[in-house]
Amino acid sequence: MSPKPRHVILVGNQQVPLPEGVTALDWALERVNYQNPRIRSYLGCIRLIEGVLESNYALLHCSPERLLDIWGKVRQVANLIRTQLAPLLEASSPIPRLEEARQSAGMALTLLGSHVLRGLERFPEEVPPGQLMEVRKLLCVSIGQIHSFLHDTFGEVMAADPRSLHDADYFLSRRFPRDIEEAEWLHATLVRLRDYLASLDAGRQEHVAGVAGLVRRDEIVPSIAVWEPTAGFLDVLLSGLTPKLKEVLALRGVRFYEMEILDRHAFEIPHRCHLLLNLHAAALEAVEGIKAGVGATPAEKEQGVRDLIWCHASFGRRIAAQLSEIDTVMLDLVAFVPLWIEAVEKRRALLLRKSAEEGAQREVW
């Protein structure tokens, strides 16, 4: 009898087979309800404990203020292990290797609780001055043991995760937690940028594309009354959109080719806005200068009219062209950001966010 086909899951662009007898639904429930929350809990604890990794000499001789800061964070980690991580390690897994890792982590947690966490819990949150030396000595032992427990058991749990099978080194590396933080922050920032661009779309159509068509058709320099809303919108691009683009450029999770595209937009939009504002100011000045210089004779007045028509047409064409360029750059940006978000969502480091969103959708449905 031929063996039953095994279910597969998609990890990035790779199809990863699940263990025999485990369905995709089994893994989906395990992933959303337990495995991803475990990983998040581990990463949160590791981030906290690594913030207080000090040599024993530093722990014994640091200032009381620094000592109490370390003490508070270690107690926070201990509390997270007790209240958040421990319950997640109690739930059995349908994945055999993951179940072994869970049981191993559970036994390690039992030892940690009896030998380390219990010792920390003997002291009050506000340590009396007379017990500071005892706390210093306790931290010398406890921090290293907590750190070792978290890293060792996290490595076991991640190594047994089906998603790690095709790229275990990445998921076990120190780079993985950092990539998660960077990718999630970049994703959230891009979503906000997409929404902000959507809020500008009506203004773009009315004050940029609409005015460009009007100026191109009439070949006239917009009056101050017509230009004022457009100038206000350009100021929004300068003071609102441009800083947001530069904020995204400064994020560590931006890839090189993404940076190239966004950097071009971050340069062109303010550059063209400044150019256009100065161009319109110069056009109005030229128009007023021609009007002021018109002579009193009919011939001079006729020449003045011809000069005004030429001035309006010449400046109008340039103003319309710059407005159209700004409109094109903004449309390109509006089209690019959703594609960028989609590309970021395919990164391995966003696997926790995607699964959390799936879980939220499942609850709604």
Side-chain angles (χ1 to χ4, degrees):
M1 181 183 294
S2 60
K4 293 182 179 180
R6 295 162 66 180
H7 287 243
V8 297
I9 57 174
L10 191 64
V11 181
N13 296 322
Q14 301 285 331
Q15 285 192 335
V16 177
L18 292 171
E20 188 174 347
V22 179
T23 67
L25 178 60
D26 292 335
W27 167 240
L29 294 173
E30 164 76 9
R31 183 191 68 216
V32 172
N33 295 326
Y34 299 108
Q35 180 64 353
N36 282 351
R38 280 187 206 117
I39 295 172
R40 281 203 177 280
S41 182
Y42 267 116
L43 293 176
C45 291
I46 290 171
R47 189 178 298 116
L48 277 173
I49 202 68
E50 288 187 344
V52 295
L53 284 178
E54 302 280 2
S55 67
N56 287 345
Y57 182 87
L59 290 172
L60 291 172
H61 296 89
C62 66
S63 67
E65 292 77 14
R66 173 59 176 160
L67 176 67
L68 293 177
D69 178 58
I70 294 172
W71 171 247
K73 289 178 180 176
V74 171
R75 281 184 60 91
Q76 185 181 356
V77 172
N79 182 60
L80 288 173
I81 291 173
R82 287 282 201 199
T83 62
Q84 189 182 88
L85 182 59
L88 292 169
L89 290 174
E90 291 174 359
S92 60
S93 171
I95 311 291
R97 288 188 64 220
L98 190 53
E99 174 62 14
E100 291 178 14
R102 182 197 68 80
Q103 292 181 9
S104 175
M107 288 188 289
L109 177 57
T110 301
L111 292 174
L112 183 78
S114 59
H115 291 90
V116 178
L117 302 185
R118 190 175 298 169
L120 294 171
E121 291 161 356
R122 287 192 300 106
F123 289 88
E125 186 174 351
E126 298 291 335
V127 182
Q131 292 184 308
L132 287 181
M133 182 51 68
E134 292 181 62
V135 168
R136 290 179 188 273
K137 294 177 181 178
L138 180 62
L139 289 175
C140 288
V141 177
S142 302
I143 291 176
Q145 291 183 340
I146 293 174
H147 186 258
S148 296
F149 160 78
L150 290 170
H151 263 287
D152 292 347
T153 57
F154 176 64
E156 289 184 57
V157 169
M158 283 307 304
D161 190 303
R163 294 166 293 187
S164 300
L165 297 182
H166 81 289
D167 199 1
D169 289 342
Y170 171 70
F171 289 104
L172 295 176
S173 68
R174 291 183 178 271
R175 173 185 158 199
F176 175 55
R178 186 193 67 207
D179 284 357
I180 287 179
E181 188 173 358
E182 291 176 358
E184 290 188 348
W185 185 254
L186 175 61
H187 184 271
T189 305
L190 289 178
V191 168
R192 291 196 299 271
L193 177 61
R194 180 195 62 194
D195 295 342
Y196 182 71
L197 288 170
S199 72
L200 296 178
D201 193 59
R204 177 195 61 78
Q205 294 181 44
E206 180 180 358
H207 303 308
V208 178
V211 174
L214 178 67
V215 173
R216 187 178 294 109
R217 184 194 67 196
D218 296 341
E219 290 193 339
I220 189 171
V221 175
S223 65
I224 293 178
V226 173
W227 184 251
E228 188 174 355
T230 298
F233 184 76
L234 296 178
D235 285 336
V236 169
L237 298 185
L238 288 169
S239 61
L241 178 59
T242 300
K244 287 178 170 55
L245 298 182
K246 292 181 179 179
E247 175 190 345
V248 178
L249 281 171
L251 297 180
R252 293 181 60 181
V254 180
R255 304 280 168 82
F256 180 74
Y257 70 92
E258 298 164 345
M259 185 181 297
E260 282 189 312
I261 296 172
L262 190 65
D263 187 53
R264 177 171 60 84
H265 290 90
F267 169 77
E268 281 201 33
I269 289 175
H271 172 72
R272 292 190 181 279
C273 287
H274 283 301
L275 180 63
L276 184 53
L277 290 169
N278 291 332
L279 179 62
H280 182 261
L284 287 181
E285 188 176 339
V287 168
E288 293 303 319
I290 292 173
K291 288 180 179 179
V294 174
T297 66
E300 289 174 331
K301 290 180 179 179
E302 186 176 340
Q303 182 60 45
V305 170
R306 285 197 295 268
D307 290 344
L308 278 174
I309 292 173
W310 175 86
C311 182
H312 273 286
S314 179
F315 276 106
R317 285 192 297 270
R318 287 164 173 77
I319 290 172
Q322 288 301 320
L323 284 168
S324 296
E325 288 293 338
I326 292 173
D327 188 50
T328 299
V329 173
M330 287 197 65
L331 287 173
D332 287 345
L333 183 60
V334 168
F336 169 64
V337 170
L339 297 176
W340 190 2
I341 292 174
E342 185 179 343
V344 172
E345 287 174 346
K346 292 179 180 178
R347 296 185 187 180
R348 295 169 296 178
L350 271 182
L351 59 89
L352 299 182
R353 170 179 285 275
K354 288 186 287 187
S355 298
E357 290 172 352
E358 290 170 8
Q361 290 174 356
R362 189 174 292 109
E363 289 177 4
V364 172
W365 294 339

